[in-house]
Amino acid sequence: MKTRLGILISGGGSNMRSIANACEQSNFPAQISLVLSNNPDAKGLQFARELGLQTSIVDHRNFSAREDFEQEIQRHLIKAKVEMVCLAGFMRILSPFLVGEWQGKMLNIHPSLLPKFRGLDTHRRALDAKEKTHGCSVHFVTTGLDQGPVIAQSAVPVLADDTTQALQARVLNAEHLLYSRIIKQLCRQL
Ligand code: GRF
């Protein structure tokens, strides 16, 4: 039985697409059961629809309390029989409620070699810090922002003439490979 994934996105959804590609392989141990976005205009939603994936929109602006927003997300995840949640560019901080519901079963991909550069604008900060190496991390989600246990990382070189865009593209490429590889490993163990 393939593990049923719920992918939470807010934007372009390139990680979601790379996971969807991986799921096309017959020996991949997971399938995408739901792509959910808090942003109705997320480009990734359109890609997901084109791929024939089930999508949901839960717009945070329609909720005055964070827990009500998360209860609604949870309702969609349960309805789609999701077994593992993958945050992929999901730009809302989650409260202990939703994180607690998915303890050990909610992953995030972050564009830095954690614990370096938690939070936003990681590529600019890596360049400013004159890092020689940068990269991405897949970690379990806990209530501390980008602080959950790291599962795996992928490093890329920082080149002398790098712009944030060039570095971001190199890291994003590494993200696509890493996230699917880790999902494959974890789902095999389930
Ligand atoms: C990625 O860099 C991811 O690490 C970060 O947000 C970005 C999302 O990109 N959390 P995409 O929407 O998957 O293209």
Side-chain angles (χ1 to χ4, degrees):
M1 284 285 273
K2 293 191 182 231
T3 303
R4 297 174 66 88
L5 304 177
I7 315 279
L8 271 52
I9 65 169
S10 299
S14 69
N15 277 289
M16 179 272 296
R17 276 183 284 160
S18 78
I19 295 166
N21 279 340
C23 288
E24 295 280 296
Q25 296 157 20
S26 57
N27 65 341
F28 197 79
Q31 66 184 72
I32 298 180
S33 298
L34 180 66
V35 175
L36 183 149
S37 179
N38 65 304
N39 171 14
D41 302 320
K43 280 214 186 89
L45 276 176
Q46 189 53 37
F47 290 121
R49 289 186 198 111
E50 284 165 16
L51 291 169
L53 299 171
Q54 190 186 324
T55 60
S56 291
I57 298 166
V58 181
D59 188 339
H60 59 281
R61 293 168 300 188
N62 294 338
F63 299 85
S64 49
R66 192 181 290 270
E67 181 152 344
D68 294 341
F69 166 61
E70 294 184 2
Q71 289 272 13
E72 183 65 5
I73 292 177
Q74 177 69 352
R75 210 175 60 73
H76 284 263
L77 294 172
I78 297 291
K79 193 169 166 220
K81 300 188 170 60
V82 165
E83 296 167 300
M84 180 181 282
V85 176
C86 303
L87 307 185
F90 187 67
M91 301 304 283
R92 305 303 299 171
I93 293 173
L94 296 175
S95 80
F97 164 67
L98 200 62
V99 172
E101 292 286 334
W102 293 95
Q103 213 169 10
K105 292 188 174 175
M106 182 184 272
L107 314 178
N108 183 39
I109 184 132
H110 181 75
S112 79
L113 296 173
L114 291 170
K116 285 185 179 170
F117 311 122
R118 294 184 170 120
L120 297 174
D121 210 13
T122 60
H123 309 301
R124 172 81 267 144
R125 287 155 64 205
L127 287 178
D128 288 349
K130 305 215 179 324
E131 296 287 334
K132 296 272 186 290
T133 307
H134 185 42
C136 53
S137 308
V138 173
H139 65 92
F140 287 111
V141 176
T142 60
T143 48
L145 180 67
D146 301 326
Q147 288 182 34
V150 171
I151 303 165
Q153 299 183 309
S154 176
V156 302
V158 179
L159 306 182
D161 57 352
D162 257 345
T163 59
T164 49
Q165 289 84 354
L167 184 55
Q168 177 180 17
R170 197 173 308 121
V171 172
L172 198 55
N173 208 30
E175 291 183 34
H176 296 161
L177 299 173
L178 181 70
Y179 215 176
S180 295
R181 181 162 68 75
I182 296 311
I183 290 168
K184 186 174 187 173
Q185 273 176 18
L186 291 178
C187 291
R188 284 244 163 85
Q189 289 162 18
L190 275 187

